[in-house]
């Protein structure tokens, strides 16, 4: 034993080469046992932790990618949902409009609002139809609740609607019940009011104000507003009648231009 | 001989083989860390240490491609012994001689492994992958030599910024 140790001790280099050669031979000539075994040992003890780490990183990258994809899908779905909700609301409005009867001897053309003109409150609206669609100046514009305004300017494909909230717009109106005549005006300070009504006029809160048909622009009978409150100052000759517009001009969406049909 | 540093080297090699090789590749040009480490061990350590480390490194590298394991054993073993013997005949104090030794060793390993895999499109592989890969690995070795010689220090590195 001691002799063997001495021989190997003196010839460590030779022994190392013999062992290395034998190992190489075993790897070459045992492709189904030694080689896979060596690969397994190296894989298990050295490569496996890193391969797990790599898989974890790849999974994380996959999660990030999936997260990004899901976010995109969510954005698409949200957009579609918004469009569907909008279509549902439009459908509801159109259903309501089916029960809306335009004034006698007239027809309505639906228009879409392109933009609103504001001076703290909406005063005008740009609609998507113009002279190419036979829109003319001073045509009444309504929605399903009542009068919204009139056409003020016309372009080939667009037109401007002067809303009732424009202080320069005045409408000849009438109390639906008492038939009292007056002028519906709008003031930024006072809001909508019924002007030129005598102090002894028969009018009360809740009364409906409709167009009188005088002036030739608006046909008679279009709903304009509801009387909100009535004040009479002692010694004054006119009543102060404040109105609540029938059309909420902050929420208008679809409008209809009124066309007089030839009789 | 403490075996611990060599086990750490093998883990470093395993990390390179599984993760870092892909991360550090530039247009498919990769670092031949096995050849680099075997050359470095052969330059600074004994012949037998270099030989056994080369065989262990070959098994780690070959574990991912078993059909290449015998070739890796052969080429890395030859590389370790050759570089060790050459390093005894050159002036290791000279950075140039070490760099030359390193470049030759890495080129030998890259060429041998590439030819063992396939000789088809060898010249394209030579210009497209082998020579750039040798250069990439050689630069890494050069940085290591500079660091080991104290020409690159942390203080100097920080001073750059």
């Amino acid at each position: 034993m001691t002799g063997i140790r001495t021989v190997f001790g003196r010839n460590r280099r030779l022994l190392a080469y013999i062992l290395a050669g034998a190992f190489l031979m075993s790897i070459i000539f045992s492709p189904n046992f030694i080689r896979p075994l060596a690969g397994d040992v190296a894989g298990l003890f050295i490569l496996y932790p890193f391969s797990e780490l790599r898989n974890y990183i790849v999974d994380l990258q996959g999660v990030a990618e999936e997260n990004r994809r899901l976010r995109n899908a969510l954005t698409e779905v949200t957009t579609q949902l918004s469009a569907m909700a909008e279509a549902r609301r439009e459908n509801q409005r159109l259903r309501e409009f089916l029960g809306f009867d335009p004034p006698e001897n007239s027809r309505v053309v639906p228009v879409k609002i392109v933009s609103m003109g504001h001076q703290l409150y909406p005063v005008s609206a740009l609609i998507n139809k113009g002279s190419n669609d036979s829109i003319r100046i001073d045509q009444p514009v309504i929605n399903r609740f009542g009068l919204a305004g009139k056409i003020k300017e016309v372009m080939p494909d667009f037109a401007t609607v002067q809303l009732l909230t424009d202080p320069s717009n005045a409408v000849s109106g009438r109390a639906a019940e008492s038939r009292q005549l007056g002028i519906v005006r709008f003031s930024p300070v006072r809001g909508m009011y019924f002007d030129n009504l005598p102090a002894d006029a028969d009018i009360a809160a809740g009364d409906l104000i409709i167009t009188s048909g005088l002036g030739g622009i608006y046909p008679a009978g279009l709903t304009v507003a509801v009387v909100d409150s009535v004040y009479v100052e002692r010694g004054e000759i006119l009543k102060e009648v404040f109105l609540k517009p029938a059309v909420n001009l902050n929420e208008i969406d679809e409008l209809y231009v009124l066309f007089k049909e030839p009789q | 001989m403490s075996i611990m540093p060599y086990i750490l080297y093998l883990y470093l090699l395993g990390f390179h083989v599984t993760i870092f090789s892909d991360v550090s590749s530039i247009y498919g040009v990769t670092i031949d860390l096995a050849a680099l480490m075997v050359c470095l061990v052969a330059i600074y350590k004994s012949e037998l240490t270099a030989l056994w480390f080369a065989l262990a490194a070959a098994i780690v590298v070959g574990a991912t491609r078993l059909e290449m394991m015998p070739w890796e054993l052969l080429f890395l073993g030859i590389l370790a012994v050759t570089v060790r013997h050459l390093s005894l005949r050159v002036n290791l104090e000279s950075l140039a001689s070490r760099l030359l030794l390193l470049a030759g060793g890495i080129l030998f390993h890259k060429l041998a492994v590439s030819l063992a895999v396939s000789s088809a499109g060898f010249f394209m592989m030579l210009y497209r992958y082998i020579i750039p890969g040798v250069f990439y690995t050689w630069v890494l070795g050069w940085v290591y030599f500079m660091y080991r010689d104290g020409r690159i220090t942390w203080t100097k590195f920080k001073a750059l910024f």
Side-chain angles (χ1 to χ4, degrees), chain A residues 105-125:
Chain A
N105 299 324
S106 59
R107 66 184 170 88
V108 290
V109 172
V111 292
K112 283 265 183 191
I113 294 174
V114 178
S115 69
M116 297 288 290
H118 283 79
Q119 287 174 358
L120 298 176
Y121 46 88
V123 293
S124 65

Side-chain angles (χ1 to χ4, degrees), chain A residues 3 73 77 82 98 109 119 126 135 139 147 158 161 195 243 245 250:
Chain A
V77 169
S82 300
L98 282 176
V109 172
Q119 287 174 358
L126 188 69
I135 304 285
Q139 276 184 295
L147 184 67
F158 297 96
V161 178
D195 202 10
L243 305 176
N250 283 306

Side-chain angles (χ1 to χ4, degrees), chain B residues 96-118:
Chain B
S97 60
R98 272 178 290 166
L99 288 175
L100 200 63
L101 207 55
L102 192 64
I106 298 163
L107 180 65
F108 161 74
H109 184 250
K110 278 259 186 193
L111 280 174
V113 170
S114 298
L115 284 171
V117 172
S118 169

Side-chain angles (χ1 to χ4, degrees), chain A:
Chain A
M1 194 67 183
T2 314
I4 293 171
R5 274 188 193 156
T6 312
V7 170
F8 283 157
R10 285 176 187 165
N11 298 289
R12 275 185 66 206
R13 192 166 158 226
L14 178 66
L15 181 64
Y17 275 104
I18 289 170
L19 282 175
F23 184 61
L24 180 62
M25 290 301 127
S26 66
I27 292 285
I28 292 171
F29 294 110
S30 178
N32 297 322
F33 180 64
I34 303 288
R35 201 187 301 175
L37 185 68
D40 275 354
V41 170
L44 187 66
F45 290 105
I46 294 179
L47 301 181
Y48 178 74
F50 298 118
S51 117
E52 284 294 297
L53 179 66
R54 182 195 173 95
N55 291 341
Y56 180 70
I57 293 168
V58 169
D59 281 353
L60 277 184
Q61 284 174 338
V63 167
E65 178 59 33
E66 189 177 7
N67 193 19
R68 192 160 41 246
R69 196 172 50 75
L70 288 174
R71 275 172 194 269
N72 289 343
L74 183 65
T75 308
E76 276 179 29
V77 169
T78 308
T79 310
Q80 285 172 358
L81 272 177
S82 300
M84 284 170 69
E86 181 56 24
R88 188 165 54 84
R89 285 193 291 270
E90 185 177 15
N91 188 27
Q92 191 175 350
R93 284 195 302 273
L94 292 173
R95 278 174 186 278
E96 287 172 12
F97 185 71
L98 282 176
F100 170 78
D101 288 326
E104 208 172 334
N105 299 324
S106 59
R107 66 184 170 88
V108 290
V109 172
V111 292
K112 283 265 183 191
I113 294 174
V114 178
S115 69
M116 297 288 290
H118 283 79
Q119 287 174 358
L120 298 176
Y121 46 88
V123 293
S124 65
L126 188 69
I127 57 172
N128 67 341
K129 286 188 178 166
S131 56
N132 289 341
D133 302 286
S134 305
I135 304 285
R136 299 284 174 265
I137 287 175
D138 282 346
Q139 276 184 295
V141 179
I142 60 173
N143 77 354
R144 62 184 186 277
F145 299 111
L147 184 67
K150 65 179 181 187
I151 300 293
K152 188 179 181 188
E153 292 167 331
V154 180
M155 292 159 270
D157 294 307
F158 297 96
T160 308
V161 178
Q162 184 184 31
L163 300 175
L164 293 182
T165 42
D166 187 334
S168 65
N169 195 2
V171 180
S172 173
R174 184 192 291 277
E177 290 297 317
S178 64
R179 313 307 288 173
Q180 288 282 344
L181 281 169
I183 298 171
V184 177
R185 294 182 192 277
F186 186 86
S187 149
V189 179
R190 304 173 69 187
M192 189 173 277
Y193 62 100
F194 203 31
D195 202 10
N196 286 359
L197 210 61
D200 60 347
D202 179 17
I203 195 161
D207 283 0
L208 192 65
I209 305 297
I210 57 174
T211 51
S212 66
L214 302 175
I217 293 178
Y218 304 104
L222 291 175
T223 306
V224 180
V226 177
V227 176
D228 190 39
S229 54
V230 180
Y231 300 97
V232 187
E233 293 287 329
R234 187 184 292 271
E236 290 288 332
I237 56 167
L238 295 175
K239 260 186 178 168
E240 284 202 73
V241 179
F242 294 98
L243 305 176
K244 186 178 176 188
V247 177
N248 185 344
L249 295 169
N250 283 306
E251 294 177 4
I252 50 173
D253 193 337
E254 279 121 4
L255 291 173
Y256 305 90
V257 179
L258 210 58
F259 282 75
K260 279 185 187 167
E261 290 287 299
Q263 297 204 0

Side-chain angles (χ1 to χ4, degrees), chain B residues 16-138:
Chain B
H16 175 75
V17 168
T18 49
I19 297 174
F20 195 66
S21 179
D22 287 345
V23 176
S24 61
S25 80
I26 302 169
Y27 294 110
V29 176
T30 53
I31 298 168
D32 189 354
L33 192 66
L36 177 66
M37 290 174 89
V38 167
C39 285
L40 292 177
V41 171
I43 287 171
Y44 291 111
K45 302 295 174 184
S46 72
E47 181 184 346
L48 292 185
T49 304
L51 178 65
W52 285 111
F53 177 74
L55 297 184
I59 288 173
V60 171
V61 175
T64 55
R65 289 178 73 185
L66 283 183
E67 75 275 10
M68 285 300 294
M69 191 182 277
W71 292 116
E72 288 288 359
L73 281 165
L74 188 64
F75 298 143
L76 285 177
I78 290 172
L79 179 66
V81 174
T82 310
V83 169
R84 181 62 207 161
H85 278 269
L86 288 174
S87 68
L88 295 174
R89 286 164 177 74
V90 297
N91 174 23
L92 282 182
E93 294 295 313
S94 160
L95 178 65
S97 60
R98 272 178 290 166
L99 288 175
L100 200 63
L101 207 55
L102 192 64
I106 298 163
L107 180 65
F108 161 74
H109 184 250
K110 278 259 186 193
L111 280 174
V113 170
S114 298
L115 284 171
V117 172
S118 169
S119 60
F122 173 74
F123 286 104
M124 193 277 286
M125 292 280 288
L126 183 70
Y127 289 110
R128 176 71 184 78
Y129 296 108
I130 297 173
I131 292 175
V134 169
F135 180 72
Y136 192 5
T137 313
W138 178 81

